[in-house]
Amino acid sequence: MGFTNVDELPVTLATIMDKIVKGIPLKEKEGILRNSEGMDLVPSNIDLESMEVGLVNVMSREYTLKRYINSIKEGYDYILIDCRPSLGMLTINALATSDSVIIPVQAHYLPLKGMTGLIQTINKVKEQINPNLKIDGVLLTLADMKTRIGRTVAETLEKSYGSRMKIYSTVIPMGVKAVEASSGGKSLSIYAENSKPALAYKEFAKEVLKSDEKQRNKLKSTQCR
């Protein structure tokens, strides 16, 4: 995203959530950065670790992030919340805030095995906290479909979950350009727009938007009836 020294930024997601917990008013667009491609972001850094610990004793702690997102969401068509691969309080906050979830799964055995715990957590949040939450689909990523493990994971995903949720047809392949772009603080579309991972992400974006449009049309049709 172009911001490499996040530990030096005066405002991050951790400081924003800390203000919300303490009831300190936020300035308009406080902490929101805009990168060279015109995308807004709220960065995080190591301070978010202590924020997660601090949320344990906070009243209505599951809704801390939701309170912030609700205050800014009118200005955006889409807000993406990038979660780390754990099921702690920050992930619960993200699920309590979101309309839907995209589950990225690496083409390896252990990440696939962790799907069960994640889906159970999503279902609990849907039941107890956010009844509107849904799973948009599962995205296979860091995949090498030329290998046996890559093909096996894809087949297992379809067999185990295909009847219950959407498995995106797009597969994000492994690629050194993606690693280089991340370490250089650039988006893949700028660093190597014609690389296989970049082209795959573009196809995935189209697939998500097409699916979202179908859902919107279906909702409109239901409301008209």
Side-chain angles (χ1 to χ4, degrees):
M1 300 293 288
F3 300 93
T4 54
N5 298 319
V6 292
D7 290 330
E8 298 176 9
L9 294 173
V11 182
T12 64
L13 184 59
T15 54
I16 287 173
M17 291 182 71
D18 185 56
K19 282 190 173 184
I20 291 172
V21 168
K22 294 176 179 177
I24 301 173
L26 295 172
K27 299 176 182 178
E28 185 177 0
K29 294 189 175 182
E30 182 176 356
I32 298 177
L33 307 177
R34 175 160 292 187
N35 79 341
S36 60
E37 294 178 78
M39 178 177 287
D40 288 356
L41 72 147
V42 178
S44 65
N45 58 17
I46 194 66
D47 292 339
L48 206 56
E49 292 287 341
S50 59
M51 187 69 239
E52 175 151 36
V53 176
L55 284 174
V56 173
N57 297 317
V58 174
M59 185 178 295
S60 301
R61 55 187 177 273
E62 298 90 349
Y63 300 103
T64 305
L65 181 60
K66 184 179 180 69
R67 288 159 61 188
Y68 174 59
I69 296 296
N70 283 346
S71 71
I72 64 170
K73 68 179 183 181
E74 293 302 321
Y76 301 95
D77 295 317
Y78 292 91
I79 294 178
L80 309 179
I81 304 174
D82 181 24
C83 297
R84 61 183 183 178
S86 69
L87 300 178
M89 185 51 61
L90 290 173
T91 300
I92 299 298
N93 263 258
L95 294 176
T97 304
S98 301
D99 299 311
S100 60
V101 182
I102 293 174
I103 304 175
V105 178
Q106 292 185 30
H108 297 286
Y109 173 69
L110 289 178
L112 178 61
K113 193 173 181 181
M115 278 274 292
T116 303
L118 177 58
I119 292 173
Q120 288 176 348
T121 299
I122 292 172
N123 288 336
K124 286 181 180 178
V125 171
K126 180 179 177 67
E127 180 182 340
Q128 301 175 19
I129 300 174
N130 183 3
N132 296 319
L133 184 65
K134 63 184 179 68
I135 297 175
D136 266 352
V138 180
L139 173 67
L140 190 61
T141 184
L142 288 176
D144 184 353
M145 302 310 290
K146 295 179 181 179
T147 64
R148 180 182 296 178
I149 184 64
R151 295 191 298 271
T152 299
V153 170
E155 292 169 0
T156 303
L157 265 179
E158 186 62 44
K159 182 178 179 180
S160 302
Y161 301 100
S163 61
R164 292 184 283 164
M165 62 189 70
K166 179 181 178 64
I167 309 295
Y168 289 107
S169 59
T170 306
V171 174
I172 309 299
M174 296 179 66
V176 67
K177 294 296 183 182
V179 178
E180 291 173 355
S182 179
S183 63
K186 296 180 179 180
S187 74
L188 191 55
S189 60
I190 285 182
Y191 184 79
E193 64 175 341
N194 293 317
S195 63
K196 289 183 178 180
L199 294 175
Y201 275 117
K202 289 178 182 178
E203 286 304 310
F204 176 57
K206 292 177 183 178
E207 189 175 359
V208 171
L209 290 173
K210 186 176 181 180
S211 177
D212 188 47
E213 185 178 4
K214 286 182 178 180
Q215 290 293 329
R216 290 173 188 266
N217 291 336
K218 184 177 179 181
L219 180 61
K220 288 180 181 179
S221 177
T222 303
Q223 290 173 341
C224 288
R225 292 176 186 173

